[in-house]
Amino acid sequence: ADCRGEGTPAAYLLINIVFMRAIAPAAMVGADGEPMADIGAVVARMFFGEIGGDIVTLAIIAILLSTLTTMLFTGSRLFLAMAWKGELPAPLGRCNAAGAPSTSIAWYAGIAIVLLWLAPVKALLEYTGLLTTDWSLGGFFFRRYGRLL
């Protein structure tokens, strides 16, 4: 099966066109002057009423929970692989009797909980892409040159 996600940019553009047609750009800010965080639910309420807005909000929550679960499982396996290669402490490379990297999962979840506790969720969402890019570039340089810079 082809999984290149060629429809993703088109879907993203279509959703943004719907947002722009439903709400004027100047109105896409909250009372505090910050960008509207719940624009999907607001537009859904405009088109489908309160129930539609609630359904879209629940769908967004389900998607976020699914994404968090995926990040937990992939991130912990990244810790596992790095421990196997000697790039992280060896205990992170251990698996339990069922074959799950429970130590890596616990460490990854612990780091995520500490970050959630220390920073507002909005800041975490804004900087997640930046951190992921930085870590990827740092890993590239470390693997390529044996040092970060």
Side-chain angles (χ1 to χ4, degrees):
D2 189 3
C3 59
R4 288 181 278 185
E6 293 166 345
T8 304
Y12 180 79
L13 287 173
L14 180 63
I15 289 168
N16 279 287
I17 289 170
V18 170
F19 289 165
M20 298 293 279
R21 294 283 185 188
I23 301 175
M28 291 183 186
V29 293
D32 57 356
E34 292 291 320
M36 188 182 293
D38 59 345
I39 190 166
V42 170
V43 171
R45 280 189 183 89
M46 290 174 65
F47 287 121
F48 308 115
E50 283 297 314
I51 293 174
D54 292 343
I55 290 170
V56 168
T57 300
L58 288 174
I60 291 170
I61 290 170
I63 290 168
L64 286 174
L65 288 174
S66 171
T67 302
L68 289 173
T69 303
T70 301
M71 290 177 69
L72 176 65
F73 288 134
T74 57
S76 63
R77 273 135 184 99
L78 179 65
F79 280 9
L80 177 74
M82 290 177 74
W84 285 350
K85 291 183 174 195
E87 296 168 355
L88 286 177
L92 293 174
R94 294 190 198 127
C95 294
N96 64 17
S102 54
T103 306
S104 292
I105 292 172
W107 272 96
Y108 196 85
I111 291 169
I113 289 167
V114 168
L115 288 174
L116 283 171
W117 185 54
L118 293 175
V121 173
K122 182 180 177 201
L124 289 174
L125 292 173
E126 289 174 351
Y127 295 120
T128 299
L130 177 65
L131 288 174
T132 303
T133 302
D134 287 348
W135 285 1
S136 298
L137 287 172
F140 168 77
F141 281 107
F142 185 79
R143 301 253 319 143
R144 176 93 175 177
Y145 303 110
R147 56 188 171 85
L148 291 179
L149 289 175

